[in-house]
Amino acid sequence: MSILLALSVWSVWGFYTYPDSWSVIYNHWQVSVTMIFGSIIAGATSEGGGAIAFPVFTKVLHIPASDAKVFSLAIQSVGMVAASIAILMMRVKVLWSVIGWVSLGGVFGMLIGALLLAPVLAPEVIRMLFTVMAVSLALTLTFLNSGFRLSNNAMPEINTKEAGILLMAGVVGGVISGLVGSGIDMICFSVLVLLFRVCESVATPTSVVLMAINSLLGVLLHLIVLDGINAQVHAYWLAAVPVVVVGAPLGAFCCSRMHHLQIRYLLIFLISIELFSSIWILSFDMTLVIFSVTLLMVFSSLMFWMSKSAVYVRKTE
């Protein structure tokens, strides 16, 4: 099914870009190369393809954060959907009730992030927001490496309290996704494994499917409500589509075969690069320092609280 999907996308892409198909790749080869790695990471882990695209675009290729955000959503609407199809075809377990509740909160969060916050926040603040969010995911993975016990193969019964937690996680993740193009998947993953003690083999594919759905919603938001997708982002997107439609399903397949520790160490390594590059490249004034430290303390406190919570440490069927 994944091969058929890739062939179908390639055919449509080739027809759409003909006779300039090679020029599309050649003129934006940096984007294509970036998304080779981004799509594989997206399909294999709780980080969307935008988690690779956004920092590379904004720090290495010097693409505006607003364009990097829209590109991340647009390319994930292809790559993460392809990875989700591969996950479903392999019959990997996902938590649909979690996806539903978090996506509902994500809609409101994305509206807040894209419509209210994006126009008023400085690009450096948005870039640092992404870094702090990524570091919070690294903290989650560090807790797991310290002998943290994941005892649940499914969600506990979703009552009012659980639904409220998932909705709030969706709102927070949606705000971040509305600003940087990804994030709701990382937030959901952290909540699932730290608070609800859901095993990684279930939390990871759940976060991939979640990001696919919310990327589609984000693209629709920009096409219908906001200013659409500009010509430059459209060109980047065309250069990446042939890559991600293969890379994301490949990442999902690799994830099903890799040891969970390998995936954890890979993510921690990538997040370390993101953190050090932000410290090296960004110009920090007092406002940005206070913002970064405060946000990191908030995220760290939440991660620590969830890791110490014993409410959901029990077996579920």
Side-chain angles (χ1 to χ4, degrees):
M1 183 65 180
S2 294
I3 295 176
L4 180 61
L5 175 65
L7 292 175
S8 299
V9 171
W10 283 346
S11 298
V12 174
W13 177 86
F15 178 80
Y16 182 79
T17 58
Y18 181 83
D20 301 317
S21 301
W22 171 245
S23 297
V24 169
I25 301 293
Y26 180 78
N27 292 335
H28 304 290
W29 63 268
Q30 303 96 328
V31 173
S32 301
V33 171
T34 298
M35 293 316 300
I36 290 174
F37 300 99
S39 60
I40 293 175
I41 293 297
T45 71
S46 55
E47 283 195 312
I52 302 298
F54 188 85
V56 172
F57 276 30
T58 57
K59 296 175 183 176
V60 180
L61 302 181
H62 305 292
I63 294 172
S66 57
D67 286 351
K69 182 264 302 259
V70 176
F71 171 83
S72 297
L73 291 171
I75 203 59
Q76 286 169 171
S77 69
V78 177
M80 301 294 271
V81 168
S84 298
I85 292 174
I87 287 170
L88 297 178
M89 293 302 297
M90 291 186 294
R91 300 183 183 277
V92 176
K93 184 175 182 178
V94 297
L95 304 177
W96 291 106
S97 57
V98 170
I99 292 171
W101 283 110
V102 177
S103 293
L104 182 60
V107 171
F108 294 101
M110 194 168 291
L111 289 171
I112 295 171
L115 296 178
L116 301 181
L117 297 181
V120 299
L121 292 179
E124 291 78 11
V125 170
I126 295 177
R127 291 173 186 169
M128 203 59 205
L129 170 64
F130 176 86
T131 299
V132 172
M133 177 195 60
V135 170
S136 71
L137 176 61
L139 291 174
T140 297
L141 299 172
T142 301
F143 281 125
L144 298 183
N145 282 337
S146 64
F148 190 83
R149 189 166 67 92
L150 299 173
S151 58
N152 297 332
N153 292 318
M155 272 289 294
E157 183 179 356
I158 298 181
N159 296 314
T160 303
K161 179 181 178 181
E162 290 76 15
I165 292 172
L166 294 174
L167 279 170
M168 185 56 62
V171 171
V172 174
V175 169
I176 298 173
S177 295
L179 291 171
V180 303
S182 64
I184 194 170
D185 47 350
M186 302 186 207
I187 298 296
C188 179
F189 176 85
S190 297
V191 171
L192 284 178
V193 298
L194 291 182
L195 184 60
F196 295 112
R197 304 307 203 259
V198 174
C199 61
E200 287 176 274
S201 61
V202 176
T204 297
T206 297
S207 68
V208 170
V209 176
L210 174 69
M211 193 68 246
I213 294 172
N214 282 267
S215 294
L216 289 170
L217 294 174
V219 170
L220 290 175
L221 173 65
H222 280 272
L223 288 175
I224 298 172
V225 180
L226 298 175
D227 297 329
I229 298 177
N230 64 43
Q232 194 62 61
V233 173
H234 183 249
Y236 297 150
W237 182 77
L238 287 176
V241 164
V243 173
V244 302
V245 77
V246 175
L250 178 61
F253 174 79
C254 292
C255 178
S256 67
R257 298 294 187 272
M258 290 174 64
H259 192 276
H260 62 88
L261 288 179
Q262 294 174 315
I263 298 174
R264 288 183 198 172
Y265 294 143
L266 174 62
L267 284 175
I268 291 174
F269 172 73
L270 293 173
I271 293 168
S272 299
I273 294 177
E274 163 64 19
L275 174 61
F276 290 124
S277 66
S278 292
I279 295 174
W280 179 264
I281 294 174
L282 296 182
S283 299
F284 286 85
D285 56 16
M286 186 56 64
T287 300
L288 187 57
V289 169
I290 294 174
F291 170 81
S292 302
V293 172
T294 302
L295 196 61
L296 182 59
M297 290 178 62
V298 170
F299 272 113
S300 300
S301 299
L302 286 173
M303 300 303 165
F304 182 79
W305 171 76
M306 288 192 293
S307 71
K308 296 303 180 181
S309 174
V311 176
Y312 298 103
V313 183
R314 58 185 175 85
K315 293 286 184 179
T316 57
E317 299 298 331

